[in-house]
Amino acid sequence: MSDETIDDLMEATYCALCKHGYAELTMQDIAAESTKSKGTLHYHFDSKQDLLESFLEYLLDNFEERTATVPGETPVERLHEFVDELLTPSADDSAEEFRTAVLEIKAQSPYNEAYRERLREFDRVLRDRIATLVADGLEAGEFSDDVDPDEIADFLVTVFNGAEMRAAAVDRSPEQTKRHVRKYIDDVLRPEEAVKRDGATTSVEDEGDGK
């Protein structure tokens, strides 16, 4: 299958999921969003599940490419940027509809080993990205010595997943979660001297002197 065909079918899958959700989605719905025929879909994919497995792989590839480099001059700045990327709500209604559709797919994973395997890969990549940023911060002296990159990464992935679920289930914006995570990074993970050095807080002594 050519890259052009892959991109077309994956984009069509995205659009169809936004419109119909997972449960009601059909191959015809996807074909209707594509420049390709329904016959082409069935030529490359045996079923909706087969196509969605490929779609999850496609999303993972895009996520890995998009997050391979994170802007920021320091590891702490890059970790903040990464948090913002994950927890900033999209102004695009279709993006929120898509988030809901992906959660529907996730809900099928306890009963679908293929979905579960692909979602495990998402989880692994996300944890690895965060753990690497935290480890870089440790090496640069920006995080406290007792910080464990793997434990922090596992905790933050759990927070991100919970924020995503609440946004879809009860329409709770992840903005507040984002603020709490940023505060957690600065107030819990970072040693006091690093925070003072970077001007993130003002010392009690300075405040008392009126500085």
Side-chain angles (χ1 to χ4, degrees):
M1 193 180 346
S2 69
D3 289 344
E4 180 183 355
T5 298
I6 291 172
D7 288 341
D8 180 86
L9 296 182
M10 296 300 104
E11 180 63 27
T13 303
Y14 173 89
C15 293
L17 276 169
C18 290
K19 288 184 178 180
H20 304 282
Y22 171 82
E24 302 298 325
L25 185 69
T26 67
M27 295 289 271
Q28 181 59 55
D29 294 330
I30 297 170
E33 301 293 336
S34 171
T35 62
K36 311 300 181 186
S37 67
K38 184 179 178 181
T40 301
L41 248 67
H42 282 291
Y43 177 78
H44 293 293
F45 302 101
D46 294 333
S47 63
K48 181 177 83 169
Q49 177 176 323
D50 188 29
L51 190 154
L52 289 176
E53 289 171 19
S54 295
F55 182 63
L56 288 173
E57 290 180 0
Y58 181 80
L59 291 179
L60 176 60
D61 289 342
N62 283 348
F63 178 76
E64 288 189 285
E65 181 178 346
R66 192 173 77 249
T67 61
T69 56
V70 181
E73 295 184 2
T74 68
V76 169
E77 289 179 4
R78 290 193 287 275
L79 184 56
H80 277 306
E81 286 289 337
F82 194 66
V83 167
D84 288 352
E85 168 76 14
L86 294 173
L87 291 177
T88 299
S90 174
D92 184 357
D93 289 341
S94 67
E96 296 307 311
E97 292 165 352
F98 178 68
R99 187 195 302 270
T100 301
V102 169
L103 285 174
E104 290 185 276
I105 295 175
K106 288 183 176 181
Q108 302 301 311
S109 64
Y111 319 104
N112 187 309
E113 180 60 29
Y115 290 170
R116 187 158 59 248
E117 276 300 312
R118 283 153 182 79
L119 291 171
R120 280 195 190 110
E121 278 300 297
F122 264 108
D123 191 85
R124 179 193 62 76
V125 169
L126 183 53
R127 282 187 289 109
D128 286 352
R129 290 283 190 268
I130 296 170
T132 296
L133 290 170
V134 175
D136 289 345
L138 271 172
E139 185 175 350
E142 295 185 337
F143 292 130
S144 300
D145 292 339
D146 60 350
V147 166
D148 184 308
D150 290 328
E151 288 184 0
I152 298 303
D154 195 64
F155 168 67
L156 289 180
V157 169
T158 300
V159 171
F160 297 145
N161 284 331
E164 180 183 57
M165 176 66 75
R166 293 187 73 189
V170 297
D171 196 26
R172 182 187 187 279
S173 171
E175 278 291 345
Q176 186 174 356
T177 301
K178 179 172 70 175
R179 290 195 296 272
H180 283 306
V181 171
R182 292 179 67 91
K183 184 175 176 61
Y184 169 76
I185 292 169
D186 287 334
D187 293 355
V188 177
L189 300 187
R190 304 194 67 194
E192 186 178 353
E193 57 270 21
V195 176
K196 289 180 179 179
R197 182 187 65 227
D198 293 347
T201 63
T202 304
S203 71
V204 174
E205 290 81 4
D206 285 347
E207 290 177 352
D209 292 340
K211 295 181 181 180

